[in-house]
Amino acid sequence: MALYQAVLDNEKALLDEWVKEQIGAFSRQGAIRETELRQQCETFLRLFVQAIRDGNTTDLRTPEWEAVLRFLSDVSSSRGEQGFSPSETATFVFSFKRPLFTALGKAHQDDGKALADAVWEATAILDRLGLHTMDVYLKTRETIIARQQEDMLELSTPVVSLAEGILALPVIGTLDSARTQVVMESLLQRIVETGSTQAIIDITGVPTVDTLVAQHLLKTVTAARLMGADCLISGIRPQIAQTIVHLGVELGNVTTKATLASAFAVALDRQGMKIVRSKPQA
């Protein structure tokens, strides 16, 4: 109850000092408005007082701490999405220690043992709350990074229309299982949208081809055929050709070409079209 009484008796001073501590900790000017920060601190203090009122400062799994943990999760998630640093996020809880210890020191200035016990109690609970805040922050950042990676994968696998009925999919970078799924989905979706019957997968930008990459390519070719489109693979450089032969990879009856231009010419021929160069006028 000593912790509860110390917070209750010094709530206004605690709030002012706590806000001041946090403002000084932000590495960016204007990272958060003082009014918003003060409102967050006021909410936390109110919920914190309610949680420790019955004397439970050791078990955060009990119902009285649900509101505190939920609020800290909201604050941490919001800061993670807004680009706050880990230290700026952790400071929300850990910066509360100094003003709280000061209040405890005034309350127990004549009793060293009582002060030590109160400080230890406060440290234990604030450390747990701070760790909870960081756990939520890290999960939020991981979610954001995963979402950004998915967006980058989609942007890095554009399916372009070269001519009526002919699509091209330039692949740049490593082709792993996750990337293959995105490539396949993008290509199949465009085949459905355009009704194309020829698709060129250009691997000029793929640094190396191993057995796994070849298998991924064949899966994409098979999926496209099931959708009614025949696939060609272009960008087969001498080194890649030697690697495929060395690995004993069978590309079956998949047409391969050294350049995208060559593959495009084959696709045009299959469509009954050809490139006609106009003669310069005299």
Side-chain angles (χ1 to χ4, degrees):
M1 295 300 290
L3 178 60
Y4 170 75
Q5 197 61 48
V7 175
L8 201 63
D9 293 344
N10 299 274
E11 193 166 349
K12 177 65 168 60
L14 281 171
L15 181 62
D16 292 340
E17 288 300 315
W18 187 21
V19 171
K20 189 183 300 182
E21 286 274 340
Q22 291 185 75
I23 290 176
F26 286 118
S27 58
R28 296 170 293 135
Q29 290 293 330
I32 187 171
R33 291 176 299 176
E34 185 174 345
T35 53
E36 180 183 356
L37 180 60
R38 179 172 287 272
Q39 186 177 22
Q40 290 177 347
C41 293
E42 287 175 348
T43 302
F44 174 83
L45 269 179
R46 174 173 53 80
L47 296 175
F48 185 72
V49 168
Q50 293 173 358
I52 64 175
R53 181 173 51 200
D54 296 329
N56 175 23
T57 58
T58 58
D59 190 358
L60 299 183
R61 296 169 295 180
T62 54
E64 58 264 30
W65 285 102
E66 287 180 2
V68 176
L69 296 178
R70 187 165 53 249
F71 173 74
L72 287 177
S73 295
D74 291 342
V75 170
S76 187
S77 295
S78 175
R79 294 192 177 190
E81 291 172 354
Q82 293 175 43
F84 282 73
S85 69
S87 61
E88 288 172 337
T89 303
T91 295
F92 182 75
V93 172
F94 292 129
S95 62
F96 186 50
K97 285 185 177 183
R98 187 202 291 269
L100 181 56
F101 291 171
T102 300
L104 291 172
K106 292 179 180 177
H108 301 285
Q109 55 185 342
D110 297 326
D111 190 340
K113 184 179 183 308
L115 174 60
D117 291 342
V119 168
W120 175 253
E121 181 183 29
T123 299
I125 193 61
L126 290 180
D127 284 350
R128 293 191 185 97
L129 293 176
L131 290 174
H132 170 78
T133 301
M134 288 309 301
D135 284 342
V136 175
Y137 173 86
L138 291 174
K139 289 177 182 177
T140 300
R141 295 303 300 173
E142 287 172 359
T143 301
I144 292 173
I145 292 171
R147 186 168 64 241
Q148 290 174 339
Q149 288 176 335
E150 291 176 2
D151 293 341
M152 289 179 65
L153 279 177
E154 292 180 1
L155 290 172
S156 65
T157 53
V159 181
V160 296
S161 180
L162 298 181
E164 184 177 353
I166 303 175
L167 298 175
L169 174 61
V171 182
I172 300 173
T174 304
L175 194 63
D176 56 16
S177 298
R179 183 98 184 276
T180 301
Q181 186 64 31
V182 175
V183 166
M184 192 182 299
E185 289 176 358
S186 300
L187 181 59
L188 297 182
Q189 183 62 35
R190 287 289 287 162
I191 289 174
V192 172
E193 292 173 355
T194 62
S196 298
T197 56
Q198 301 294 323
I200 303 171
I201 302 175
D202 183 66
I203 62 171
T204 304
V206 177
T208 57
V209 172
D210 55 18
T211 305
L212 191 59
V213 170
Q215 289 175 351
H216 291 326
L217 288 172
L218 289 175
K219 287 180 181 178
T220 304
V221 170
T222 302
R225 283 177 175 170
L226 291 174
M227 298 299 296
D230 197 14
C231 273
L232 302 90
I233 299 177
S234 65
I236 304 295
R237 305 184 299 278
Q239 302 93 323
I240 289 180
Q242 292 178 35
T243 301
I244 291 176
V245 171
H246 179 72
L247 294 173
V249 176
E250 292 292 338
L251 294 179
N253 58 350
V254 180
T255 301
T256 60
K257 290 294 178 181
T259 65
L260 178 58
S262 299
F264 183 43
V266 173
L268 284 173
D269 184 63
R270 290 178 178 178
Q271 291 293 94
M273 297 183 287
K274 61 181 179 179
I275 299 174
V276 179
R277 294 181 175 85
S278 59
K279 295 181 179 180
Q281 295 180 353

